[in-house]
Amino acid sequence: SLSHMYAQIIDDSCGRTLVAMSTLSPDVKEKAKKDCGNVKGAVLLGAAIAEASKKAGVTKVVFDRAGYLYHGRVKALAEAARKGGLQF
């Protein structure tokens, strides 16, 4: 949305969500303060989802941008997740 971003790691073989975070998650929201809907919030979310997925034992994912163009906040989230250790 314009105010927040959401990211999930889903196991498609069994249809189960392994990790889900958003800029409303306490860890991200505390760091982002008022920057939840911009590139800074996307970078924080990407780093947080990468960290949480590593704790869940997930290192490789497929990035589905749900029709959104790969630029701006979407690109920032993906690059931060890659920098955090996710491979896609």
Side-chain angles (χ1 to χ4, degrees):
S1 72
L2 291 175
S3 301
H4 296 283
M5 290 191 74
Y6 307 87
Q8 296 179 349
I9 308 286
I10 299 172
D11 183 353
D12 277 339
S13 63
C14 63
R16 194 175 66 141
T17 301
L18 304 174
V19 179
M21 297 192 91
S22 73
T23 52
L24 294 169
S25 300
D27 298 343
V28 180
K29 190 174 185 178
E30 180 182 313
K31 293 177 187 175
K33 306 216 190 264
K34 295 182 181 181
D35 296 322
C36 292
N38 61 18
V39 173
K40 182 180 176 186
V43 169
L44 293 171
L45 179 59
I49 196 84
E51 183 180 327
S53 66
K54 283 195 286 187
K55 287 180 184 176
V58 178
T59 57
K60 287 188 176 185
V61 297
V62 175
F63 187 67
D64 180 5
R65 51 190 172 77
Y68 291 97
L69 295 176
Y70 188 79
H71 76 317
R73 296 185 303 160
V74 174
K75 184 177 179 181
L77 184 137
E79 288 176 355
R82 279 192 191 110
K83 189 180 269 189
L86 279 180
Q87 297 176 357
F88 51 94

